[in-house]
Amino acid sequence: MSKKLSQQIAFWIFRILGVFVVGILLWILGFIIYNGIGVISFEFIFDAPRDGMLKGGIFPAIVGTFCLIVGSMIVAFPLGVMSAIYTNEYVRDGKISKFIRMMTNNLGSIPSIIFGLFGMALFVNTMSWGDSILAGSFTLGLLALPLVIRTTEEALRTVPDSLRVGSYALGASKLQTIRYVTLPAAFPNIVTGLILSVGRVSGETAPILFTVAAYFLPKLPSSVFDQVMALPYHLYVISTSGTNLEAARPMAYGTALVLITLVLIINFSASLIRKHFSKKLGGH
Amino acid sequence: MNIVETKDVNFYYGDFHALKGVSLDVVKNSVTAFIGPSGCGKSTFLRLLNRMNDLIPDMKLTGKCLINGKDIYDKRVDVDELRKKVGMVFQKPNPFPKTIFENIAYGLRVNGIKDKEFIRNRVEESLKGAALWEEVKDKLSRSAYDLSGGQQQRLCIARALAVKPDILLMDEPASALDPISTSKIEELIFTLKAEYTIVIVTHNMQQAARVSDSTGFFMLGELIEFSETRKMFLNPSKEQTQNYITGRFG
Ligand SMILES: Nc1ncnc2c1ncn2[C@@H]1O[C@H](COP(=O)(O)OP(=O)(O)OP(=O)(O)O)[C@@H](O)[C@H]1O
Ligand SMILES: [Mg+2]
């Protein structure tokens, strides 16, 4: 077989596989949109559910998921970024950083239901926060932590050493260098990574199951110690445990559509933020 | 007067013996050039003088290294303070991803200077000192990455000047630049000599001959010859130097 022919065959295989992947993605999206778009209305977005969750909307679940996104960001951001700074800037390639990295990877491969159990044991019971936004945010934040650490480390690694060295050469201390050179230069990528990680966990059901999620709670939360409804759990509930599953189907697809849209908006805003900052920094 | 004095300096990267018994003195307000084949230890020697080699794990140093008569490797020496006194310009321009103004002000800010008026004056003074002021005075708030490579390198020189060092170390500062930018930097070195002591590494023999007062020739970690530049190029005392200068190896 000629070199040219085999190259062409390989090229076509890659192309078909590529189209296949994109196709699956579009199919899922199309399926959800097709089935869900019918129930989307002002009432669906801004009203509480009623009549056995067959009528009304999903506003409390949207608010709940939003609270959990913000809450888990607040938990994961300082912890994750500081830990990444420590391994990447302070200990660099030592044994300690290898160990921490290994533990982080292990943490990242623990099934999310285990995080849910752990969150229930620690935050709900031991800390006696009860089923609450606080407990849910910490559980989701912990779940997001390995991702945040990894993306922050990657962001820090894209900062060339020549900048750090240039800073030291002016008499700046290590801390000053991190604070005024490394972090600002890595900031767009750090924020992007953070948002993507949190977007990733915001669709999780298992971690919030025992820590915050309410089965049915039309009232909006008034403090971090309140329970909330959340989109992924609501989706689970109306697809599995209603009295009339058939009738609840459209509501389920509508909820799925809202959840997907929310995650897409988060991802999209992450790339906007990155663009905005890298323009400001001169596009390096 | 000698501002830098090194006596029998040996430097090791792990087991690798990178500098072998180097002793040399640098006269205040002079330009000293280091030449030699790639990998002979020029940069290593330069980085000893502002303790940049401290960042390398597994390094070892023996011998004495004095600046202004003080041992810079003494335990009591504050490395950050030393680096303010001994500035450095690198081979590749490395401006920070900040505005032109902030690049220059950085060295002042990290040294706790807050007085806005003072900072503004020093930024202007440094940019003038680096012969860049006329080109950038109207765009100080633009990103430093908007400058050309040659301008970026002069920005890095200005950034180093802003903290008023005694000594300026330059590691092949013009090797990534076009001929016009190179000659600008050479002129600059000439004028900076009045106020600063300059130590420069270069692969360009003509450049060493043009800008420096003394020249040191390194080979395989040893300082083969160190003398007045004129003498070095017209009448070197070692055969190895002669061979290198006339291009028989290296
Ligand atoms: N960080 C390091 N770790 C280990 N060895 C190093 C390190 N830096 C330099 N070396 C070695 O030390 C020797 C001297 O290196 P140095 O950079 O000082 O040479 P140089 O004269 O500046 O060369 P060039 O002209 O190519 O810049 C080289 O053999 C190099 O491989
Ligand atoms: Mg070098």
Side-chain angles (χ1 to χ4, degrees):
Chain A
M1 195 163 54
S2 82
K3 210 167 160 185
K4 209 165 163 195
L5 185 66
S6 60
Q7 179 170 311
Q8 238 165 25
I9 292 175
F11 181 71
W12 272 102
I13 293 176
F14 287 128
R15 174 177 279 191
I16 290 166
L17 289 177
V19 168
F20 184 67
V21 170
V22 175
I24 291 183
L25 207 79
L26 288 179
W27 187 29
I28 296 177
L29 269 180
F31 180 74
I32 302 283
I33 293 173
Y34 176 79
N35 287 295
I37 197 82
V39 297
I40 300 291
S41 64
F42 187 85
E43 187 199 13
F44 185 73
I45 306 281
F46 292 103
D47 255 351
R50 55 194 153 75
D51 298 346
M53 294 192 260
L54 294 176
K55 290 273 159 53
I58 54 168
F59 191 58
I62 295 177
V63 171
T65 289
F66 184 77
C67 291
L68 291 175
I69 287 177
V70 174
S72 54
M73 262 183 166
I74 293 172
V75 173
F77 188 68
L79 272 176
V81 172
M82 282 195 289
S83 149
I85 289 175
Y86 180 70
T87 50
N88 206 60
E89 304 295 316
Y90 278 91
V91 284
R92 281 261 156 139
D93 287 317
K95 274 197 187 116
I96 308 173
S97 84
K98 278 215 189 81
F99 179 72
I100 294 180
R101 209 159 283 150
M102 192 186 77
M103 292 311 280
T104 321
N105 285 339
N106 285 340
L107 197 66
S109 56
I110 294 176
S112 57
I113 185 77
I114 312 250
F115 277 91
L117 280 175
F118 176 76
M120 179 175 69
L122 182 62
F123 304 125
V124 177
N125 296 333
T126 310
M127 314 282 279
S128 34
W129 292 340
D131 275 2
S132 61
I133 295 178
L134 200 59
S137 298
F138 268 86
T139 312
L140 280 178
L142 283 189
L143 183 67
L145 202 54
L147 265 170
V148 173
I149 293 175
R150 204 170 316 142
T151 50
T152 306
E153 277 199 277
E154 268 158 30
L156 290 173
R157 267 199 291 272
T158 62
V159 178
D161 264 340
S162 63
L163 293 186
R164 298 183 180 87
V165 169
S167 170
Y168 297 141
L170 291 164
S173 68
K174 190 158 199 158
L175 191 63
Q176 285 174 324
T177 301
I178 292 172
R179 167 100 171 65
Y180 298 114
V181 174
T182 318
L183 273 184
F187 187 69
N189 285 336
I190 292 179
V191 172
T192 313
L194 174 78
I195 295 177
L196 289 179
S197 320
V198 171
R200 177 79 197 73
V201 299
S202 65
E204 288 281 350
T205 314
I208 57 174
L209 203 53
F210 321 124
T211 55
V212 52
Y215 180 85
F216 176 72
L217 183 69
K219 196 169 78 63
L220 296 183
S222 56
S223 89
V224 292
F225 291 104
D226 284 351
Q227 263 189 295
V228 284
M229 295 180 78
L231 288 171
Y233 183 57
H234 184 65
L235 180 57
Y236 171 75
V237 165
I238 55 180
S239 323
T240 57
S241 58
T243 43
N244 188 346
L245 287 183
E246 263 328 295
R249 261 306 111 81
M251 298 298 271
Y253 283 119
T255 308
L257 183 55
V258 169
L259 182 57
I260 283 196
T261 311
L262 195 72
V263 172
L264 287 183
I265 288 176
I266 289 175
N267 290 2
F268 188 64
S269 65
S271 69
L272 275 189
I273 286 178
R274 174 160 47 196
K275 272 215 195 88
H276 173 75
F277 279 107
S278 38
K279 218 187 267 154
K280 233 165 94 178
L281 297 174
H284 201 59
Chain B
M1 187 203 135
N2 292 335
I3 187 163
V4 177
E5 294 166 279
T6 70
K7 296 191 189 97
D8 197 25
V9 163
N10 287 284
F11 187 86
Y12 303 82
Y13 292 106
D15 298 330
F16 180 69
H17 198 171
L19 288 175
K20 299 168 185 164
V22 176
S23 305
L24 68 76
D25 298 338
V26 173
V27 179
K28 200 170 156 87
N29 290 20
S30 72
V31 178
T32 303
F34 293 143
I35 58 171
S38 191
C40 64
K42 307 178 294 290
S43 300
T44 304
F45 186 79
L46 210 61
R47 286 197 300 263
L48 278 181
L49 303 181
N50 63 346
R51 292 191 55 172
M52 228 42 165
N53 286 332
D54 288 18
L55 303 172
I56 295 161
D58 262 8
M59 66 92 169
K60 203 181 106 196
L61 174 77
T62 66
K64 280 264 175 281
C65 203
L66 312 180
I67 287 181
N68 285 325
K70 285 201 203 92
D71 183 353
I72 58 168
Y73 283 89
D74 189 287
K75 281 203 175 55
R76 282 160 300 183
V77 168
D78 179 344
V79 181
D80 298 340
E81 285 301 319
L82 170 74
R83 290 183 186 144
K84 273 169 225 166
K85 290 282 147 221
V86 187
M88 189 166 209
V89 176
F90 299 83
Q91 177 168 0
K92 266 178 60 194
N94 58 347
F96 301 127
K98 299 177 187 293
T99 64
I100 295 172
F101 185 94
E102 283 306 320
N103 261 275
I104 314 287
Y106 182 79
L108 303 171
R109 296 201 198 283
V110 296
N111 289 312
I113 296 173
K114 296 214 171 69
D115 184 339
K116 286 205 176 108
E117 190 64 28
F118 180 88
I119 293 179
R120 210 173 313 125
N121 290 336
R122 184 63 72 79
V123 167
E124 179 172 343
E125 184 189 331
S126 311
L127 283 168
K128 281 181 176 156
L132 189 60
W133 176 250
E134 286 307 319
E135 288 156 72
V136 303
K137 64 180 178 201
D138 299 322
K139 44 180 180 180
L140 293 176
S141 55
R142 292 267 289 278
S143 163
Y145 289 152
D146 292 347
L147 298 174
S148 74
Q151 290 174 324
Q152 287 187 6
Q153 192 62 307
R154 277 179 283 144
L155 182 76
C156 291
I157 295 176
R159 185 174 76 182
L161 298 182
V163 286
K164 298 253 173 198
D166 296 334
I167 305 174
L168 197 56
L169 309 173
M170 303 176 123
D171 196 347
E172 305 184 43
S175 69
L177 304 181
D178 67 287
I180 293 175
S181 307
T182 302
S183 66
K184 277 199 180 139
I185 297 220
E186 286 182 15
E187 280 168 36
L188 188 57
I189 291 172
F190 219 81
T191 52
L192 290 176
K193 190 165 94 166
E195 279 184 74
Y196 304 91
T197 305
I198 294 173
V199 185
I200 178 172
V201 170
T202 176
H203 273 284
N204 181 330
M205 231 74 75
Q206 284 83 22
Q207 188 170 69
R210 276 195 300 266
V211 301
S212 70
D213 303 303
S214 329
T215 301
F217 171 54
F218 280 86
M219 218 172 95
L220 297 173
E222 281 179 78
L223 181 63
I224 305 291
E225 187 165 349
F226 183 60
S227 63
E228 203 193 324
T229 300
R230 282 172 63 85
K231 177 175 177 304
M232 179 80 117
F233 282 96
L234 296 176
N235 184 22
S237 47
K238 296 268 171 51
E239 199 189 328
Q240 287 152 300
T241 319
Q242 176 78 34
N243 286 345
Y244 183 73
I245 291 172
T246 55
R248 238 169 283 170
F249 64 85

